[in-house]
Amino acid sequence: MTSWSMHEVPVPASVDAPDAGPLLALTRVTNDVIAHEWGTRDYDRTPQEILGSLRDQAYVRKDRLLVTSDEDGPDGPAGTPLAYLAMNLPLRENTHTAHVEVGVLAPYRSRGIGGALHDEALRRAREAGRRALTGSTDQLDEPAEGPATLVPSTGTGRVAAQDPAVRFVASRGWQLEQVARRSVLPVPVDPDILARHRAAAQEHAGDEYRVVHWGSHAPDEWVDEYAKLNTRMSTDVPLGGLDFEEDVWDAERIRRTEAQFVDRGIELVVAAAEHVPTRTLAAYTTLMLPPDNEEFVHQEDTLVLKEHRGRRLGLLVKAANLQRLAEVRPAARRIATWNAEENSYMLRINIDLGFRPAGGSGEWQLRLDGTD
């Protein structure tokens, strides 16, 4: 059996710095674990993208641990990366929570490595005064209804009870609070179809609403409104039984996050709906363009404020943003997005636009204070 050690990953000055080795190893093992789970390299990250995300920890403390082999073996020399722990601890709001991601390369599972990383996550959470941990398990397909499945507290969606990752977290006391659906859209979408969707949504919304666009830097005139939308994103979307409080954004946080995206090499494509009479923003949607993969796009946040719902603004901004994507990233071929299974309104919009189910995740929570 391979002996191994757990190491903290430092944040180097650059990906070429003398102490960047652990960051490069973290990148490799993270990419390999996720590619094994999904059977695609679409979710690969670059060392610079990970470094850029770790440099700014003003709002979230980001602990990264790497497990490496202690000795030469058939799978590689001593120091070969075997597993990782990524742990995010909010520092402003939601300071009672922490998000945990444990990944172990397939050949090294069932050797106690994942359990050791899990125990380390619990130790750090308790040391930081956290009382609720969140984490996810992935699934390529949602299982059919039946006794071999688990259903979250929302009552919608299922995970397979015998899936190894599900058994790992369930045996350690985690509770399934939500199931999310992953959906994939082939792009570009037929321009005529997008034009029809946008026109129909605009007609329903009326002249009180108009679409505004920007990229990786929100215009000064909209940055405060954009911050309000990001704040509301933390409370207006379905959360199931997950214990989250309002996450407050302001213009400074928007600008810091935009600078972080630049450091990571990520571009944004944003469409928002302006409520013309009040000069406020009523809805927005964001596409994220990763570095080094022009064919793949992440569909990130989409939100329509509760007070503006029922006017098809979600369809309006998403159709408009897909039109914009065809202009700024013509090489894009697929978009992936995640939605809570109980979010029937947003799922309906996605289906209308051509998104199709492609697996999903279980969203889990572990309470450290002994409550349900």
Side-chain angles (χ1 to χ4, degrees), residues 154-289:
T154 62
T156 55
R158 295 171 297 276
V159 299
Q162 294 306 309
D163 176 86
V166 170
R167 286 191 285 112
F168 179 90
V169 293
S171 68
R172 288 167 171 78
W174 292 70
Q175 299 296 312
L176 181 63
E177 301 289 5
Q178 192 176 62
V179 170
R181 181 189 303 180
R182 176 178 178 259
S183 302
V184 175
L185 173 68
V187 291
V189 179
D190 186 322
D192 292 337
I193 292 176
L194 283 181
R196 286 198 297 270
H197 279 307
R198 180 171 179 174
Q202 185 67 69
E203 181 179 5
H204 191 85
D207 294 338
E208 288 190 355
Y209 298 91
R210 74 179 184 99
V211 175
V212 294
H213 288 281
W214 61 84
S216 298
H217 186 83
D220 289 343
E221 65 176 310
W222 292 124
V223 67
D224 290 325
E225 284 294 307
Y226 189 32
K228 291 177 184 178
L229 289 174
N230 276 266
T231 298
R232 291 284 293 273
M233 186 73 197
S234 66
T235 56
D236 281 15
V237 298
L239 295 172
L242 298 171
D243 183 10
F244 288 126
E245 301 168 355
E246 184 178 71
D247 194 25
V248 178
W249 286 66
D250 55 18
E252 179 185 359
R253 186 169 182 180
I254 291 290
R255 295 302 186 216
R256 287 190 71 115
T257 303
E258 289 173 340
Q260 184 185 126
F261 280 132
V262 171
D263 195 12
R264 294 167 65 183
I266 288 172
E267 297 178 43
L268 302 181
V269 182
V270 182
E274 176 193 356
H275 184 236
V276 177
T278 59
R279 290 281 294 160
T280 60
L281 295 181
Y284 81 113
T285 189
T286 302
L287 294 170
M288 190 172 78
L289 314 184

Side-chain angles (χ1 to χ4, degrees), residues 40 49 67 94-95 110 136 158 164 200 210 221 225 229 235 280 309 322-324 347 353-354 364 368:
T40 176
E49 199 265 298
V67 172
N94 288 294
T95 55
S110 301
S136 301
R158 295 171 297 276
R210 74 179 184 99
E221 65 176 310
E225 284 294 307
L229 289 174
T235 56
T280 60
R309 291 179 182 171
L322 288 172
Q323 290 176 321
R324 182 67 177 151
L347 289 172
L353 288 169
W364 299 78
L368 300 181

